[in-house]
Amino acid sequence: MKKILIAATAALGFASLPAISQASPEQDRQEFVKYFQDRFPDVPFQEFKNGVNAVDEGRREQWEANEEFPPYEFAVDEGGDLFNNTTFPNGKSYADCFDEPVDNIRPQYPYFDTDRGEVVTLELAINECREANGAEPLRWKKGDIAKISAYLGYQARGKKIDVEIPNEEAEKWYERGKNHFYSKRGQLNIACADCHQYHSGQRARANVLSPALGHPTHFPVHRKKWGGLGTLHRRYGGCNRNIRAKPLPAQSAEYRALEYFQAYMSNGLEINAPSSRE
Amino acid sequence: MRKKASLISTAASVAALLGSVSLASPALAAEEEGAKSIVEQGKEIAFARKKGNCLACHAIEGGELAGTIGPPLVAMKMRYPDKQKLYDQIWDARVKNPHTIMPPFGPHEILTEEEIEKVVEFIYTL
């Protein structure tokens, strides 16, 4: 047995020589977490669910003051009302689409649907539920869909992100998201990783750059600038635009892949959606 | 400098641009624009969010809400006795650091050669 193992390792080692060595997602994740823990040695792992507030004292004070009267409170209530009291044209309800108890729905997303061969996000599932039951889909980036997502996130607070990569096809989606995260793009030629990994904690003008570890934990987010809630994909579009890259449609395969990668990197962190930001 | 750009042609194009928006008195407007020193024009380009936006990343004397991504731009004359090197850094920071976050202002046509020359003149006074 031992011999076989050695032989296998040797063969693997040899096989990986000529190709660019590709780390497994789990190795990636461990390195990713270590990167941020080394960069912010005083920040406990679980704190990364608080985004920029984990790494900047000034931001944290403002945020804590905001959260005393959370600006998303009514939206969460409205989301609960929409989720629990909507009757679709065929008489069914949201609950008929989601098998889990209400506090365990958000932790199921995003996931790779092996039958369909694609990543399904919570917002995608909400609209697919509507369409399957004869209702019009909601607009993707704000409004009712963000409220329902905020409600489901709020119900799941404290549960951990636990994204799996079940097969090779799923790994391709993961790689696609990883590639988006690390590629330079736009006229300004800047990667997500440049701002949210290699320069995280620093300031771009007056904005403190949040660490990418934990990005998906607290979405949707209520922003002063937006005057309401926005989904993760809305934020992706904004960040793409800032570097003068063409924003992609919310729930496009590319953004779902990016969310899948970001959520996998954040495995083990608690969900604390929604949150409030500048 | 990379290109021995004739400032006359820049002035002419500024005049043309101004002429197209301010029909009232294009000549006067162009004159006022021309009155601004190259250093002042460079400063405007460096600070404008839609142009250099250097303040996004660099502390620069006279600029507010500067970022901390790159080093403060100070003592440039002393540190860059060769002005061309400063120009090259702004033209394409990737030459020195292939992974840099600093945008390749020249190759990506974020700024023109003339604009970069003016920014260099301004940065050189720091």
Side-chain angles (χ1 to χ4, degrees):
Chain A
M1 183 60 195
K2 203 173 176 192
K3 236 185 218 155
I4 296 169
L5 258 181
I6 292 166
T9 334
L12 265 177
F14 183 68
S16 68
L17 264 184
I20 302 163
S21 85
Q22 204 179 30
S24 75
E26 192 45 27
Q27 285 169 312
D28 286 351
R29 192 189 65 79
Q30 285 171 14
E31 258 176 52
F32 196 76
V33 169
K34 186 174 181 307
Y35 179 92
F36 288 103
Q37 291 196 311
D38 289 349
R39 192 170 170 90
F40 304 103
D42 299 333
V43 177
F45 175 68
Q46 275 305 334
E47 265 300 308
F48 284 98
K49 70 182 177 195
N50 293 323
V52 72
N53 309 300
V55 300
D56 189 87
E57 200 47 47
R59 283 302 130 104
R60 184 165 195 108
E61 278 167 22
Q62 264 179 21
W63 172 67
E64 281 177 351
N66 276 346
E67 293 275 322
E68 278 179 30
F69 299 98
Y72 48 76
E73 210 168 19
F74 291 114
V76 169
D77 288 347
E78 282 176 52
D81 192 38
L82 287 166
F83 186 83
N84 294 307
N85 302 324
T86 299
T87 308
F88 295 129
N90 65 359
K92 295 209 171 178
S93 70
Y94 281 112
D96 291 312
C97 300
F98 296 93
D99 301 336
E100 300 282 332
V102 75
D103 63 340
N104 206 35
I105 295 174
R106 162 70 191 258
Q108 310 302 315
Y109 297 89
Y111 75 99
F112 185 78
D113 186 320
T114 47
D115 296 333
R116 293 168 57 174
E118 62 181 320
V119 166
V120 179
T121 63
L122 179 55
E123 286 82 11
L124 185 66
I126 290 169
N127 261 347
E128 286 182 345
C129 173
R130 295 179 62 85
E131 290 190 275
N133 291 299
E136 289 287 313
L138 299 169
R139 291 179 57 209
W140 287 122
K141 294 192 285 195
K142 57 182 175 182
D144 285 356
I145 206 163
K147 289 176 187 169
I148 295 170
S149 177
Y151 166 72
L152 293 173
Y154 190 76
Q155 295 299 318
R157 275 193 178 179
K159 299 218 154 139
K160 287 178 179 163
I161 297 204
D162 182 18
V163 173
E164 286 173 11
I165 299 177
N167 59 26
E168 268 179 32
E169 220 184 340
E171 199 166 328
K172 281 194 193 130
W173 277 71
Y174 165 89
E175 288 295 337
R176 181 172 178 181
K178 177 179 166 184
N179 193 44
H180 190 103
F181 185 79
Y182 286 103
S183 303
K184 300 271 191 191
R185 65 188 62 249
Q187 191 188 24
L188 299 189
N189 203 51
I190 305 179
C192 313
D194 287 327
C195 287
H196 294 294
Q197 184 167 352
Y198 308 127
H199 292 281
S200 54
Q202 294 177 329
R203 269 181 291 123
R205 289 267 182 181
N207 299 300
V208 181
L209 297 166
S210 56
L213 177 60
H215 262 170
T217 55
H218 47 275
F219 268 83
V221 152
H222 180 286
R223 286 185 75 193
K224 253 190 214 150
K225 187 179 160 190
W226 289 340
L229 287 172
T231 61
L232 185 59
H233 291 202
R234 182 178 184 188
R235 182 79 232 202
Y236 287 167
C239 280
N240 272 168
R241 204 176 291 116
N242 284 344
I243 51 168
R244 301 181 196 165
K246 197 168 173 282
L248 298 165
Q251 302 302 326
S252 56
E254 187 78 1
Y255 279 0
R256 279 184 282 146
L258 182 57
E259 176 174 346
Y260 191 52
F261 165 75
Q262 285 220 287
Y264 186 85
M265 290 292 107
S266 300
N267 266 352
L269 286 174
E270 285 175 4
I271 291 165
N272 70 336
S275 198
S276 59
R277 293 287 184 274
E278 286 300 297
Chain B
M1 294 290 106
R2 183 166 198 102
K3 186 185 148 195
K4 313 271 175 290
S6 77
L7 290 169
I8 297 157
S9 78
T10 316
S13 63
V14 167
L17 186 70
L18 284 173
S20 67
V21 288
S22 135
L23 291 169
S25 156
L28 186 66
E31 219 166 75
E32 275 171 8
E33 184 68 25
K36 268 192 191 141
S37 71
I38 302 292
V39 169
E40 279 166 42
Q41 292 177 46
K43 182 176 179 175
E44 270 172 22
I45 296 163
F47 285 10
R49 281 172 202 267
K50 297 222 157 113
K51 288 288 185 178
N53 200 15
C54 315
L55 286 170
C57 300
H58 297 281
I60 302 172
E61 203 191 317
E64 282 172 6
L65 295 179
T68 58
I69 292 172
L73 300 182
V74 288
M76 282 294 143
K77 204 180 252 172
M78 201 173 75
R79 301 195 29 245
Y80 287 85
D82 180 359
K83 237 189 214 178
Q84 180 68 43
K85 292 225 167 80
L86 190 53
Y87 182 97
D88 293 344
Q89 168 69 26
I90 302 168
W91 175 263
D92 191 351
R94 296 174 302 186
V95 174
K96 261 197 158 170
N97 171 11
H99 304 293
T100 187
I101 189 174
M102 179 160 154
F105 286 97
H108 275 223
E109 297 179 8
I110 303 163
L111 297 177
T112 63
E113 292 177 359
E114 288 80 2
E115 285 171 328
I116 296 178
E117 284 178 1
K118 289 175 182 172
V119 169
V120 168
E121 291 307 322
F122 163 59
I123 297 291
Y124 220 54
T125 65
L126 298 171

